[in-house]
Every structure is written in C-alpha cells, then in structure tokens.
Amino acid sequence: VTLSNASNGQAITGNAATVTATDGTFSETLQFNSPSSSYIGAQDREGAYVLVVTGDGFQTFVSETITVQNGVDCELVVTQEVAIALQPD
C-alpha cells in the first residue's frame, strides 16, 4: 500500500499513518517498508480485506474489499498493490 496526500501528491511514509488490513476476525497493522516506501503485511494469506488508513491531519480512509488469492499454478498469494490518496482534514 502506498499513500499520498491528495492535495499535493506528496508521499505519506513511516509513522505518519497507520494502515490496518481486516478480513473477518483477522486484523493486522501493516508495517512500513522504507526501501519500497510502502506499507506491507498480511503476506501469504488469502482473504477479502478492507483497509482502514488513519493519520494526523487526514480524513480516515476505508477501502472497498480487496480480494487476495493464490496464483493459478502455485500456492503463493498474488500480491496486490494499492495506491491511496488521503484527503487532508
């Protein structure tokens, strides 16, 4: 998950935001990965996830359901890349 400020396009990184992925009773706070400037998590787990993003100075964002499935000929999940532009308060 990559985050940006919807008003100026600047990247939102590190502790500036919290991204939580939830699938039913499973919930995980994604970790920021500096080399990729993205938030990652819920690896190797199929599911129908809703992302909730919060950050100081921004409106809370709730995603549509994002479905993560195994690949066609393998047991590994197919990575989903999601870009979210947060609206300032």
Side-chain angles (χ1 to χ4, degrees):
V1 177
T2 57
L3 303 177
S4 64
N5 183 322
S7 68
N8 61 20
Q10 289 184 325
I12 299 170
T13 60
N15 294 329
T18 300
V19 182
T20 304
T22 302
D23 172 27
T25 60
F26 175 85
S27 183
E28 179 180 351
T29 300
L30 306 187
Q31 300 300 308
F32 183 72
N33 180 299
S34 292
S36 67
S37 292
S38 62
Y39 296 81
I40 59 173
Q43 297 171 336
D44 299 330
R45 186 180 185 285
E46 287 186 301
Y49 294 93
V50 172
L51 301 177
V52 177
V53 184
T54 58
D56 288 340
F58 294 97
Q59 297 175 16
T60 297
F61 174 87
V62 179
S63 75
E64 298 290 326
T65 300
I66 300 164
T67 302
V68 177
Q69 299 177 325
N70 284 345
V72 175
D73 293 320
C74 66
E75 295 180 15
L76 300 175
V77 296
V78 177
T79 301
Q80 300 293 313
E81 295 183 17
V82 178
I84 298 170
L86 295 180
Q87 295 293 331
D89 282 338

